[in-house]
């Protein structure tokens, strides 16, 4: 990650990106076809514990933040704080609106899934291009890559698969949406990086590991 002073453009891009990511995750949830692994786990834990997704998201991020502080401190930044504290509440806000609009959406899951993929990828593109810190969960794969010297893709698949397995064992929903997140977001993110985010934010992150 770069260490130069962040611009207002990048900060705004990071915040907008997190809001859009939250919207995409809310659409994924409404599709009833499964969310990304960490969101699916947080949703199930919030159901079991009887607390809101926003509160559960903060609890999980605090746990992962300890790991990030020990093994991935260089990935901590403003984006880590905003994502860790705000994402769960924003998802709940959007989901309540979408659920009220579509109802159970029993005849729309595939359509919603197709909408959710590019929406979430667009948000991820803005958030990552801003380069202002990585969410605690996202830092796990990066830390594994740094310390084990293994390819990032394999490390990310491992963390996602582990979360998905825990979600399944706890009785949570793991579906096609989970698989789509794992394998379908990457190409869309790469497209949005070059076609929009890097041009609008006037910034291109540089890998340091």
């Amino acid at each position: 990650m770069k260490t130069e002073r962040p611009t207002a453009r990048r900060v705004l891009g990071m915040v907008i990106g997190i809001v859009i990511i939250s919207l995409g995750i809310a659409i994924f949830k409404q599709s009833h076809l499964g969310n990304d692994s960490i969101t699916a786990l947080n949703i199930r834990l919030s159901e079991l514990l009887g607390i809101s997704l926003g509160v559960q998201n903060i609890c999980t991020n605090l746990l992962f933040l300890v790991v990030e502080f020990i093994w991935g401190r260089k990935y901590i930044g403003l984006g880590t704080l905003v994502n860790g504290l705000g994402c769960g509440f924003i998802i709940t806000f959007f989901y309540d609106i979408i659920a009220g609009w579509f109802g159970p959406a029993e005849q729309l899951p595939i359509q919603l899934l197709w909408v959710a993929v590019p929406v979430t990828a667009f948000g991820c593109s803005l958030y990552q291009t801003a380069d202002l810190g990585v969410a605690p969960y996202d830092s796990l794969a990066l830390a594994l890559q740094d310390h084990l010297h293994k390819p990032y893709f394999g490390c990310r698949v491992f963390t996602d698969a582990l979360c998905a397995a825990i979600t399944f064992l706890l009785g949570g929903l793991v579906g096609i949406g989970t698989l789509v997140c794992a394998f379908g977001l990457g190409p869309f993110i790469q497209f949005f990086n070059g076609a929009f985010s890097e041009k609008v934010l006037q910034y291109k992150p540089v890998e340091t590991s």
Side-chain angles (χ1 to χ4, degrees), residues 37-206:
S37 298
I38 186 58
T39 302
L41 178 58
N42 275 327
I43 289 173
R44 184 52 180 162
L45 287 174
S46 70
E47 293 170 348
L48 292 174
L49 297 175
I51 58 178
S52 71
L53 177 60
V55 173
Q56 176 57 49
N57 189 66
I58 290 177
C59 293
T60 303
N61 276 318
L62 286 175
L63 176 62
F64 288 148
L65 183 60
V66 174
V67 179
E68 184 175 12
F69 185 80
I70 296 173
W71 286 293
R73 193 175 306 179
K74 66 181 179 180
Y75 298 114
I76 297 176
L78 179 62
T80 308
L81 179 65
V82 176
N83 187 301
L85 294 179
C87 198
F89 293 105
I90 302 172
I91 292 169
T92 300
F93 170 77
F94 280 127
Y95 178 73
D96 289 343
I97 295 175
I98 294 170
W101 190 2
F102 286 108
E106 294 177 353
Q107 298 180 355
L108 294 176
I110 299 299
Q111 293 91 326
L112 287 174
L113 187 61
W114 279 110
V115 171
V117 173
V119 169
T120 306
F122 182 50
C124 287
S125 175
L126 281 172
Y127 169 61
Q128 293 177 4
T129 301
D131 197 25
L132 294 175
V134 176
Y137 174 73
D138 294 331
S139 73
L140 296 181
L142 292 168
L144 284 174
Q145 173 188 247
D146 293 341
H147 292 279
L148 299 180
H149 306 290
K150 300 295 183 180
Y152 172 78
F153 178 79
C155 294
R156 183 64 191 229
V157 169
F158 172 76
T159 57
D160 284 348
L162 181 61
C163 281
I166 296 173
T167 302
F168 179 78
L169 291 174
L170 291 176
L173 175 61
V174 176
I176 188 174
T178 311
L179 298 177
V180 169
C181 275
F183 299 103
L185 289 179
F188 278 100
I189 293 174
Q190 184 174 356
F191 167 76
F192 285 126
N193 284 348
F196 184 85
S197 299
E198 291 172 3
K199 295 178 181 178
V200 171
L201 299 185
Q202 298 178 0
Y203 187 82
K204 184 176 183 179
V206 174

